[in-house]
Protein backbone atom coordinates (compact mmCIF):
# COMPACT_ATOMS: atom_id res chain seq x y z
CA UNK A 1 0.00 0.00 0.00
CA UNK A 2 1.43 3.37 -0.91
CA UNK A 3 2.17 6.00 1.69
CA UNK A 4 0.25 9.22 1.08
CA UNK A 5 2.35 12.25 1.81
CA UNK A 6 0.38 13.93 4.57
CA UNK A 7 2.71 16.83 4.42
CA UNK A 8 2.98 16.45 0.69
CA UNK A 9 1.47 19.88 0.60
CA UNK A 10 3.85 22.43 2.00
CA UNK A 11 3.72 22.92 5.73
CA UNK A 12 3.70 26.53 6.91
CA UNK A 13 7.02 25.76 8.56
CA UNK A 14 8.50 24.33 5.44
CA UNK A 15 11.07 26.45 3.72
CA UNK A 16 12.05 24.48 0.68
CA UNK A 17 12.20 20.69 0.50
CA UNK A 18 13.19 18.08 3.05
CA UNK A 19 16.62 17.94 1.49
CA UNK A 20 17.25 21.68 1.90
CA UNK A 21 15.87 23.45 4.94
CA UNK A 22 12.60 22.61 6.65
CA UNK A 23 10.92 21.93 9.98
CA UNK A 24 7.86 19.92 10.99
CA UNK A 25 5.71 19.72 14.09
CA UNK A 26 3.88 16.81 15.67
CA UNK A 27 1.27 17.24 18.41
CA UNK A 28 0.28 14.46 20.83
CA UNK A 29 -3.11 14.92 22.53
CA UNK A 30 -3.56 12.61 25.51
CA UNK A 31 -5.53 12.03 28.69
CA UNK A 32 -3.71 13.86 31.46
CA UNK A 33 -1.89 11.65 34.01
CA UNK A 34 -3.36 8.40 32.58
CA UNK A 35 -1.44 8.64 29.29
CA UNK A 36 1.40 10.96 30.25
CA UNK A 37 4.16 8.40 29.86
CA UNK A 38 2.72 7.15 26.56
CA UNK A 39 2.62 10.69 25.16
CA UNK A 40 6.21 11.30 26.30
CA UNK A 41 7.39 8.12 24.61
CA UNK A 42 5.75 9.12 21.34
CA UNK A 43 6.96 12.72 21.21
CA UNK A 44 10.49 11.70 22.23
CA UNK A 45 10.36 8.79 19.77
CA UNK A 46 9.60 11.20 16.92
CA UNK A 47 12.71 13.21 17.81
CA UNK A 48 14.87 10.14 18.35
CA UNK A 49 13.84 8.66 14.99
CA UNK A 50 14.46 11.93 13.17
CA UNK A 51 17.90 12.24 14.77
CA UNK A 52 18.81 8.82 13.46
CA UNK A 53 18.31 10.36 10.02
CA UNK A 54 20.56 13.34 10.67
CA UNK A 55 17.83 15.80 11.58
CA UNK A 56 17.55 17.72 14.82
CA UNK A 57 14.58 18.14 17.10
CA UNK A 58 13.12 18.52 20.53
CA UNK A 59 10.07 17.33 22.45
CA UNK A 60 8.22 19.29 25.11
CA UNK A 61 4.97 19.45 27.07
CA UNK A 62 2.59 22.39 26.82
CA UNK A 63 3.03 24.58 29.84
CA UNK A 64 -0.68 25.45 29.91
CA UNK A 65 -1.57 21.86 30.87
CA UNK A 66 0.47 21.94 34.03
CA UNK A 67 -0.49 20.85 36.62
CA UNK A 68 -2.20 17.99 34.84
CA UNK A 69 -5.44 16.47 36.04
CA UNK A 70 -6.68 12.89 35.74
CA UNK A 71 -8.23 12.44 32.31
CA UNK A 72 -8.19 16.10 31.30
CA UNK A 73 -6.95 16.53 27.71
CA UNK A 74 -3.29 17.59 27.63
CA UNK A 75 -0.65 18.03 24.92
CA UNK A 76 2.95 17.24 24.06
CA UNK A 77 4.79 18.48 21.00
CA UNK A 78 7.76 17.31 18.93
CA UNK A 79 9.48 19.72 16.56
CA UNK A 80 11.92 18.30 14.02
CA UNK A 81 14.09 20.26 11.58
CA UNK A 82 16.76 19.72 9.00
CA UNK A 83 19.17 22.04 10.85
CA UNK A 84 19.63 23.96 14.11
CA UNK A 85 18.65 27.33 12.59
CA UNK A 86 15.31 25.96 11.41
CA UNK A 87 14.73 24.33 14.76
CA UNK A 88 15.45 27.49 16.72
CA UNK A 89 13.19 29.59 14.52
CA UNK A 90 10.38 27.03 15.05
CA UNK A 91 10.90 27.06 18.80
CA UNK A 92 10.70 30.85 19.03
CA UNK A 93 6.93 30.40 19.43
CA UNK A 94 5.27 29.59 22.74
CA UNK A 95 3.89 26.42 21.19
CA UNK A 96 3.26 25.38 17.56
CA UNK A 97 0.29 27.16 16.03
CA UNK A 98 -0.01 24.51 13.34
CA UNK A 99 1.18 20.91 13.08
CA UNK A 100 1.86 18.48 10.26
CA UNK A 101 0.64 15.53 12.32
CA UNK A 102 -1.67 15.49 15.34
CA UNK A 103 -1.81 12.20 17.29
CA UNK A 104 -4.89 11.60 19.46
CA UNK A 105 -4.56 8.84 22.07
CA UNK A 106 -8.25 8.46 22.95
CA UNK A 107 -10.92 8.56 20.23
CA UNK A 108 -13.50 10.19 22.53
CA UNK A 109 -11.45 13.39 22.19
CA UNK A 110 -12.40 13.56 18.49
CA UNK A 111 -15.31 15.71 19.71
CA UNK A 112 -12.88 18.44 20.71
CA UNK A 113 -10.77 19.19 23.76
CA UNK A 114 -10.70 21.65 26.60
CA UNK A 115 -7.88 22.39 28.98
CA UNK A 116 -8.20 21.85 32.75
CA UNK A 117 -9.27 25.44 33.05
CA UNK A 118 -12.18 26.33 30.79
CA UNK A 119 -10.97 28.10 27.64
CA UNK A 120 -13.81 26.83 25.49
CA UNK A 121 -13.57 23.75 23.30
CA UNK A 122 -10.86 23.44 20.66
CA UNK A 123 -11.65 21.26 17.63
CA UNK A 124 -9.38 18.22 17.74
CA UNK A 125 -8.05 18.99 14.25
CA UNK A 126 -7.58 22.71 14.88
CA UNK A 127 -3.81 22.78 14.38
CA UNK A 128 -3.62 20.29 11.47
CA UNK A 129 -2.28 22.01 8.34
CA UNK A 130 -3.78 21.56 4.85
CA UNK A 131 -2.73 18.11 3.68
CA UNK A 132 -1.67 17.20 7.22
CA UNK A 133 -2.84 14.21 9.23
CA UNK A 134 -5.03 13.63 12.26
CA UNK A 135 -3.92 10.25 13.68
CA UNK A 136 -6.31 8.57 16.14
CA UNK A 137 -5.84 5.32 18.07
CA UNK A 138 -9.22 3.58 17.89
CA UNK A 139 -11.18 0.38 17.33
CA UNK A 140 -13.55 2.36 15.09
CA UNK A 141 -13.59 3.06 11.37
CA UNK A 142 -12.47 6.49 10.09
CA UNK A 143 -16.02 7.37 8.97
CA UNK A 144 -17.40 6.72 12.47
CA UNK A 145 -14.83 9.08 13.97
CA UNK A 146 -15.24 11.70 11.25
CA UNK A 147 -18.84 12.26 12.38
CA UNK A 148 -17.43 13.77 15.60
CA UNK A 149 -14.48 15.69 14.11
CA UNK A 150 -15.11 19.34 13.29
CA UNK A 151 -15.25 20.30 9.61
CA UNK A 152 -12.27 22.10 8.10
CA UNK A 153 -12.25 24.34 5.05
CA UNK A 154 -9.40 22.36 3.51
CA UNK A 155 -8.45 18.74 2.90
CA UNK A 156 -6.43 16.60 5.29
CA UNK A 157 -6.09 12.90 6.24
CA UNK A 158 -7.89 11.10 9.04
CA UNK A 159 -5.67 8.19 10.04
CA UNK A 160 -6.78 5.39 12.35
CA UNK A 161 -4.21 3.28 14.20
CA UNK A 162 -6.07 0.07 15.10
CA UNK A 163 -6.36 -0.21 18.86
CA UNK A 164 -8.38 -2.94 20.57
CA UNK A 165 -10.88 -2.28 23.33
CA UNK A 166 -8.99 -2.22 26.64
CA UNK A 167 -10.38 -3.22 29.99
CA UNK A 168 -9.80 -0.46 32.52
CA UNK A 169 -11.25 1.64 35.26
CA UNK A 170 -11.55 4.86 33.35
CA UNK A 171 -13.07 3.61 30.12
CA UNK A 172 -14.01 -0.08 30.35
CA UNK A 173 -15.40 -0.10 26.85
CA UNK A 174 -12.93 2.33 25.29
CA UNK A 175 -9.92 1.73 23.07
CA UNK A 176 -7.51 4.12 24.80
CA UNK A 177 -4.28 2.57 26.06
CA UNK A 178 -2.98 3.89 29.35
CA UNK A 179 0.64 4.43 30.30
CA UNK A 180 0.92 7.12 32.92
CA UNK A 181 1.42 7.64 36.60
CA UNK A 182 -0.92 4.86 37.76
CA UNK A 183 -0.64 2.19 35.05
CA UNK A 184 1.88 1.26 32.38
CA UNK A 185 0.64 -0.74 29.42
CA UNK A 186 3.66 -1.60 27.30
CA UNK A 187 1.47 -2.73 24.40
CA UNK A 188 3.21 -1.18 21.36
CA UNK A 189 0.81 1.79 21.19
CA UNK A 190 3.75 4.20 21.23
CA UNK A 191 5.49 2.29 18.42
CA UNK A 192 2.26 2.04 16.41
CA UNK A 193 1.83 5.81 16.54
CA UNK A 194 5.43 6.30 15.37
CA UNK A 195 4.73 3.93 12.46
CA UNK A 196 1.69 6.07 11.59
CA UNK A 197 3.92 9.16 11.48
CA UNK A 198 6.36 7.27 9.26
CA UNK A 199 3.52 6.26 6.96
CA UNK A 200 1.89 9.67 6.50
CA UNK A 201 4.92 11.95 6.97
CA UNK A 202 8.10 10.04 6.04
CA UNK A 203 9.92 13.35 5.77
CA UNK A 204 9.77 13.48 9.61
CA UNK A 205 10.94 9.93 10.25
CA UNK A 206 10.96 6.66 8.34
CA UNK A 207 9.74 3.16 9.14
CA UNK A 208 13.34 1.92 9.36
CA UNK A 209 14.09 4.45 12.10
CA UNK A 210 10.99 3.40 14.02
CA UNK A 211 11.97 -0.26 13.79
CA UNK A 212 15.47 0.63 15.02
CA UNK A 213 13.90 2.28 18.08
CA UNK A 214 11.77 -0.81 18.76
CA UNK A 215 14.82 -3.06 18.43
CA UNK A 216 16.91 -0.92 20.78
CA UNK A 217 14.17 -0.60 23.40
CA UNK A 218 12.92 -4.17 23.43
CA UNK A 219 15.71 -6.34 22.01
CA UNK A 220 12.84 -8.47 20.70
CA UNK A 221 12.62 -9.25 16.96
CA UNK A 222 9.07 -10.53 17.49
CA UNK A 223 7.98 -7.06 18.56
CA UNK A 224 9.90 -5.49 15.70
CA UNK A 225 7.95 -7.61 13.22
CA UNK A 226 4.64 -6.93 15.02
CA UNK A 227 5.28 -3.20 14.75
CA UNK A 228 6.33 -3.50 11.10
CA UNK A 229 3.00 -5.24 10.34
CA UNK A 230 1.09 -2.19 11.63
CA UNK A 231 2.28 -0.14 8.64
CA UNK A 232 -0.22 -1.78 6.29
CA UNK A 233 -3.00 -2.03 8.90
CA UNK A 234 -3.24 1.72 9.36
CA UNK A 235 -6.44 3.12 7.83
CA UNK A 236 -6.19 6.42 5.96
CA UNK A 237 -9.28 8.42 5.01
CA UNK A 238 -8.78 11.46 2.82
CA UNK A 239 -11.09 14.14 4.23
CA UNK A 240 -12.45 16.69 1.79
CA UNK A 241 -13.10 20.32 2.78
CA UNK A 242 -16.44 20.57 4.61
CA UNK A 243 -16.61 16.92 5.69
CA UNK A 244 -17.14 16.24 9.39
CA UNK A 245 -19.19 17.56 12.30
CA UNK A 246 -20.87 20.95 12.04
CA UNK A 247 -21.65 21.11 15.77
CA UNK A 248 -20.59 24.51 17.07
CA UNK A 249 -18.21 24.52 19.99
CA UNK A 250 -18.54 26.98 22.81
CA UNK A 251 -16.00 29.77 22.48
CA UNK A 252 -14.22 31.52 25.31
CA UNK A 253 -12.63 34.94 25.11
CA UNK A 254 -9.45 35.01 27.15
CA UNK A 255 -9.01 38.33 28.95
CA UNK A 256 -6.09 40.47 27.84
CA UNK A 257 -3.37 41.14 30.35
CA UNK A 258 -4.77 44.60 31.11
CA UNK A 259 -8.14 43.05 32.05
CA UNK A 260 -6.83 40.36 34.39
CA UNK A 261 -7.32 40.68 38.11
CA UNK A 262 -4.42 40.53 40.52
CA UNK A 263 -3.73 37.18 42.11
CA UNK A 264 -5.63 33.97 41.63
CA UNK A 265 -9.23 34.18 42.70
CA UNK A 266 -11.77 31.38 42.50
CA UNK A 267 -14.99 33.15 43.31
CA UNK A 268 -17.51 31.60 45.67
CA UNK A 269 -20.74 30.93 43.81
CA UNK A 270 -24.23 31.82 44.95
CA UNK A 271 -26.36 28.84 45.87
CA UNK A 272 -28.15 27.65 42.78
CA UNK A 273 -25.45 28.80 40.34
CA UNK A 274 -22.30 27.26 38.88
CA UNK A 275 -18.95 28.79 38.03
CA UNK A 276 -19.01 29.48 34.26
CA UNK A 277 -15.20 29.28 34.16
CA UNK A 278 -15.12 25.58 35.09
CA UNK A 279 -16.93 23.49 32.52
CA UNK A 280 -16.43 20.00 31.18
CA UNK A 281 -16.86 18.69 27.65
CA UNK A 282 -14.27 16.17 26.49
CA UNK A 283 -12.78 15.64 29.93
CA UNK A 284 -14.86 12.49 30.24
CA UNK A 285 -14.71 9.35 28.10
CA UNK A 286 -18.19 8.31 29.21
CA UNK A 287 -21.25 10.04 30.64
CA UNK A 288 -23.85 8.77 33.12
CA UNK A 289 -27.43 8.30 31.92
CA UNK A 290 -30.12 8.24 34.64
CA UNK A 291 -33.31 6.20 34.49
CA UNK A 292 -35.67 8.64 36.23
CA UNK A 293 -38.42 5.97 36.38
CA UNK A 294 -36.48 3.70 38.73
CA UNK A 295 -34.61 6.28 40.85
CA UNK A 296 -35.53 5.74 44.53
CA UNK A 297 -34.22 9.19 45.61
CA UNK A 298 -31.67 7.66 47.95
CA UNK A 299 -29.31 10.69 47.41
CA UNK A 300 -26.20 8.51 47.08
CA UNK A 301 -25.23 9.92 43.67
CA UNK A 302 -25.81 13.47 44.92
CA UNK A 303 -23.72 12.82 48.04
CA UNK A 304 -20.82 10.96 46.42
CA UNK A 305 -20.30 12.83 43.14
CA UNK A 306 -16.93 14.58 43.50
CA UNK A 307 -17.99 17.48 41.30
CA UNK A 308 -21.47 18.12 42.73
CA UNK A 309 -23.06 17.44 39.38
CA UNK A 310 -26.49 16.36 40.54
CA UNK A 311 -29.57 18.57 40.69
CA UNK A 312 -32.92 17.67 42.11
CA UNK A 313 -35.82 17.36 39.67
CA UNK A 314 -39.43 18.37 40.46
CA UNK A 315 -40.18 14.73 41.37
CA UNK A 316 -37.23 14.58 43.79
CA UNK A 317 -35.12 12.36 41.53
CA UNK A 318 -31.64 13.49 40.45
CA UNK A 319 -30.31 14.60 37.10
CA UNK A 320 -26.74 15.14 35.92
CA UNK A 321 -25.42 18.56 34.91
CA UNK A 322 -23.09 17.45 32.14
CA UNK A 323 -21.19 20.73 32.04
CA UNK A 324 -19.82 19.75 35.47
CA UNK A 325 -19.37 15.99 34.97
CA UNK A 326 -15.88 14.50 34.63
CA UNK A 327 -17.20 10.99 33.87
CA UNK A 328 -15.61 9.33 36.91
CA UNK A 329 -18.34 6.63 37.21
CA UNK A 330 -18.69 6.99 40.98
CA UNK A 331 -22.43 7.67 40.67
CA UNK A 332 -22.88 4.45 38.70
CA UNK A 333 -20.91 2.56 41.35
CA UNK A 334 -22.89 3.87 44.33
CA UNK A 335 -26.39 3.77 42.87
CA UNK A 336 -28.17 0.83 44.54
CA UNK A 337 -30.76 0.36 41.78
CA UNK A 338 -29.83 -1.91 38.85
CA UNK A 339 -29.15 0.08 35.65
CA UNK A 340 -30.54 3.28 37.17
CA UNK A 341 -27.26 5.05 36.35
CA UNK A 342 -25.32 3.71 33.36
CA UNK A 343 -22.10 5.06 31.88
CA UNK A 344 -22.22 5.38 28.07
CA UNK A 345 -19.39 6.11 25.60
CA UNK A 346 -19.10 9.87 25.15
CA UNK A 347 -18.73 9.62 21.36
CA UNK A 348 -22.46 8.82 21.21
CA UNK A 349 -23.32 12.43 22.10
CA UNK A 350 -22.79 15.72 20.33
CA UNK A 351 -24.07 18.11 23.00
CA UNK A 352 -23.80 18.78 26.71
CA UNK A 353 -27.53 19.26 27.39
CA UNK A 354 -29.08 17.99 30.62
CA UNK A 355 -31.46 15.12 29.95
CA UNK A 356 -34.27 15.62 32.46
CA UNK A 357 -36.11 18.06 30.12
CA UNK A 358 -36.21 15.28 27.49
CA UNK A 359 -37.72 12.89 30.04
CA UNK A 360 -40.21 15.50 31.33
CA UNK A 361 -41.50 16.36 27.86
CA UNK A 362 -41.56 12.80 26.44
CA UNK A 363 -41.09 10.01 29.00
CA UNK A 364 -41.73 7.27 26.45
CA UNK A 365 -39.23 8.81 24.05
CA UNK A 366 -36.68 8.99 26.86
CA UNK A 367 -37.17 5.29 27.63
CA UNK A 368 -36.53 4.52 23.97
CA UNK A 369 -33.40 6.68 24.15
CA UNK A 370 -32.11 4.61 27.12
CA UNK A 371 -32.83 1.39 25.24
CA UNK A 372 -30.96 2.69 22.21
CA UNK A 373 -27.92 2.84 24.47
CA UNK A 374 -28.45 -0.76 25.57
CA UNK A 375 -29.86 0.09 29.00
CA UNK A 376 -32.44 -2.30 30.53
CA UNK A 377 -35.50 -0.40 31.79
CA UNK A 378 -36.56 -2.68 34.69
CA UNK A 379 -40.30 -1.86 34.65
CA UNK A 380 -40.74 -4.08 37.74
CA UNK A 381 -38.88 -1.44 39.80
CA UNK A 382 -40.98 1.57 38.79
CA UNK A 383 -43.83 1.23 41.31
CA UNK A 384 -41.46 0.95 44.25
CA UNK A 385 -39.52 3.98 43.03
CA UNK A 386 -42.68 6.05 42.68
CA UNK A 387 -43.62 5.39 46.31
CA UNK A 388 -40.31 6.57 47.77
CA UNK A 389 -40.57 10.08 49.20
CA UNK A 390 -38.36 12.89 47.97
CA UNK A 391 -35.49 13.93 50.25
CA UNK A 392 -34.85 17.27 48.57
CA UNK A 393 -37.29 19.70 47.02
CA UNK A 394 -36.35 22.17 44.34
CA UNK A 395 -35.72 25.33 46.33
CA UNK A 396 -37.53 28.57 45.56
CA UNK A 397 -35.41 31.53 44.67
CA UNK A 398 -36.43 35.17 44.71
CA UNK A 399 -35.65 35.84 41.08
CA UNK A 400 -36.32 33.77 38.00
CA UNK A 401 -32.74 34.29 36.90
CA UNK A 402 -31.42 32.43 39.94
CA UNK A 403 -33.90 29.64 39.62
CA UNK A 404 -32.04 27.72 36.88
CA UNK A 405 -29.94 25.73 37.34
CA UNK A 406 -30.80 24.52 40.83
CA UNK A 407 -28.22 22.74 42.98
CA UNK A 408 -29.75 19.92 44.97
CA UNK A 409 -29.58 20.62 48.68
CA UNK A 410 -29.00 24.30 48.12
CA UNK A 411 -31.92 25.05 50.40
CA UNK A 412 -29.83 24.20 53.44
S1 LIG B 1 -19.65 10.43 36.50
FE1 LIG B 1 -21.21 10.72 38.06
S2 LIG B 1 -20.10 10.96 39.99
FE2 LIG B 1 -18.61 11.27 38.34
S3 LIG B 1 -18.59 13.49 37.97
FE3 LIG B 1 -20.12 12.62 36.56
S4 LIG B 1 -22.05 12.77 37.65
FE4 LIG B 1 -20.44 13.02 39.17
S1 LIG C 1 -28.09 6.85 43.50
FE1 LIG C 1 -29.53 6.08 41.98
S2 LIG C 1 -31.40 5.68 43.11
FE2 LIG C 1 -30.12 6.93 44.42
S3 LIG C 1 -30.80 9.04 43.98
FE3 LIG C 1 -29.09 8.63 42.60
S4 LIG C 1 -30.03 7.88 40.72
FE4 LIG C 1 -31.57 7.75 42.32
Amino acid sequence: MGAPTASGTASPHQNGTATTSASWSVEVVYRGIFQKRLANRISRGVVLGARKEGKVGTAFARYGDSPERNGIPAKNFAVVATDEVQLESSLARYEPESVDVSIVLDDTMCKGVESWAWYGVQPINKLVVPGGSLVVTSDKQPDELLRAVKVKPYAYNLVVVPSPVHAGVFAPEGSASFAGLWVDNDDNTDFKCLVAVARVAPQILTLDSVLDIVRERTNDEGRVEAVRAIYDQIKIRHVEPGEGSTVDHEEYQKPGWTQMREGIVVEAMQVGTRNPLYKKWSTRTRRPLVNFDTCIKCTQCWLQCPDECFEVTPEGTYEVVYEACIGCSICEEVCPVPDCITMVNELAFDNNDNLYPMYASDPEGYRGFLQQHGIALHPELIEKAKKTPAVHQQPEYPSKKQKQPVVAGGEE
Side-chain angles (χ1 to χ4, degrees), residues 255-278:
W257 67 271
T258 56
Q259 300 153 333
M260 289 183 186
R261 295 171 301 186
E262 288 181 21
I264 299 172
V265 179
V266 180
E267 287 182 354
M269 298 305 297
Q270 275 193 323
V271 170
T273 63
R274 291 175 189 275
N275 191 325
L277 301 180
Y278 292 89

Side-chain angles (χ1 to χ4, degrees), residues 266-340:
V266 180
E267 287 182 354
M269 298 305 297
Q270 275 193 323
V271 170
T273 63
R274 291 175 189 275
N275 191 325
L277 301 180
Y278 292 89
K279 292 184 184 178
K280 305 294 186 297
W281 169 249
S282 62
T283 292
R284 55 181 181 259
T285 58
R286 300 181 302 154
R287 67 170 61 182
L289 299 188
V290 178
N291 184 342
F292 299 104
D293 285 334
T294 57
C295 169
I296 58 171
K297 312 167 188 95
C298 72
T299 75
Q300 280 306 309
C301 54
W302 174 78
L303 283 170
Q304 305 295 340
C305 172
D307 281 75
E308 301 181 358
C309 297
F310 284 89
E311 293 178 3
V312 67
T313 71
E315 290 93 40
T317 58
Y318 296 85
E319 70 164 330
V320 180
V321 175
Y322 292 107
E323 281 194 348
C325 172
I326 55 168
C328 69
S329 310
I330 287 175
C331 53
E332 182 190 49
E333 295 290 325
V334 299
C335 180
V337 180
D339 302 314
C340 183

Side-chain angles (χ1 to χ4, degrees), residues 98-400:
S98 59
V99 296
D100 299 270
V101 180
S102 178
I103 300 171
V104 182
L105 297 178
D106 179 1
D107 59 12
T108 57
M109 292 191 287
C110 283
K111 294 171 58 170
V113 287
E114 75 269 19
S115 173
W116 66 271
W118 175 254
Y119 301 138
V121 178
Q122 175 180 305
I124 193 65
N125 54 1
K126 181 177 177 184
L127 303 190
V128 176
V129 298
S133 293
L134 178 69
V135 175
V136 186
T137 63
S138 180
D139 63 322
K140 298 185 170 48
Q141 296 299 318
D143 281 350
E144 289 177 77
L145 299 178
L146 187 57
R147 284 198 287 270
V149 178
K150 184 81 172 170
V151 293
K152 280 191 102 59
Y154 50 77
Y156 66 100
N157 295 309
L158 176 58
V159 181
V160 174
V161 176
S163 179
V165 169
H166 291 76
V169 175
F170 197 66
E173 87 295 15
S175 56
S177 176
F178 292 162
L181 296 190
W182 318 129
V183 286
D184 186 16
N185 288 332
D186 186 14
D187 59 4
N188 286 348
T189 300
D190 47 350
F191 300 139
K192 288 183 192 174
C193 291
L194 294 177
V195 169
V197 176
R199 171 111 186 243
V200 297
Q203 68 276 32
I204 297 177
L205 82 171
T206 63
L207 179 62
D208 284 345
S209 299
V210 177
L211 298 181
D212 273 354
I213 293 172
V214 182
R215 196 169 283 115
E216 286 163 12
R217 284 219 199 126
T218 67
N219 199 24
D220 180 344
E221 282 304 313
R223 281 185 75 170
V224 172
E225 289 312 308
V227 171
R228 187 197 303 274
I230 293 297
Y231 189 88
D232 286 329
Q233 294 168 17
I234 287 166
K235 300 168 199 160
I236 300 175
R237 161 75 150 83
H238 181 73
V239 182
E240 294 292 345
E243 279 194 289
S245 166
T246 54
V247 171
D248 282 328
H249 293 299
E250 193 172 340
E251 301 280 337
Y252 173 78
Q253 276 312 106
K254 284 185 193 170
W257 67 271
T258 56
Q259 300 153 333
M260 289 183 186
R261 295 171 301 186
E262 288 181 21
I264 299 172
V265 179
V266 180
E267 287 182 354
M269 298 305 297
Q270 275 193 323
V271 170
T273 63
R274 291 175 189 275
N275 191 325
L277 301 180
Y278 292 89
K279 292 184 184 178
K280 305 294 186 297
W281 169 249
S282 62
T283 292
R284 55 181 181 259
T285 58
R286 300 181 302 154
R287 67 170 61 182
L289 299 188
V290 178
N291 184 342
F292 299 104
D293 285 334
T294 57
C295 169
I296 58 171
K297 312 167 188 95
C298 72
T299 75
Q300 280 306 309
C301 54
W302 174 78
L303 283 170
Q304 305 295 340
C305 172
D307 281 75
E308 301 181 358
C309 297
F310 284 89
E311 293 178 3
V312 67
T313 71
E315 290 93 40
T317 58
Y318 296 85
E319 70 164 330
V320 180
V321 175
Y322 292 107
E323 281 194 348
C325 172
I326 55 168
C328 69
S329 310
I330 287 175
C331 53
E332 182 190 49
E333 295 290 325
V334 299
C335 180
V337 180
D339 302 314
C340 183
I341 298 182
T342 307
M343 301 300 292
V344 173
N345 191 299
E346 187 60 33
L347 267 184
F349 307 93
D350 64 7
N351 65 52
N352 235 359
D353 298 344
N354 297 356
L355 290 173
Y356 178 75
M358 185 204 286
Y359 172 79
S361 65
D362 181 9
E364 207 46 55
Y366 186 76
R367 288 173 200 123
F369 163 80
L370 293 180
Q371 285 180 307
Q372 276 172 17
H373 290 290
I375 299 171
L377 297 181
H378 296 287
E380 73 282 4
L381 301 177
I382 295 176
E383 276 314 304
K384 180 187 171 193
K386 271 188 186 158
K387 287 178 190 154
T388 55
V391 175
H392 297 112
Q393 305 294 332
Q394 279 198 311
E396 289 297 325
Y397 290 98
S399 78
K400 204 172 176 184

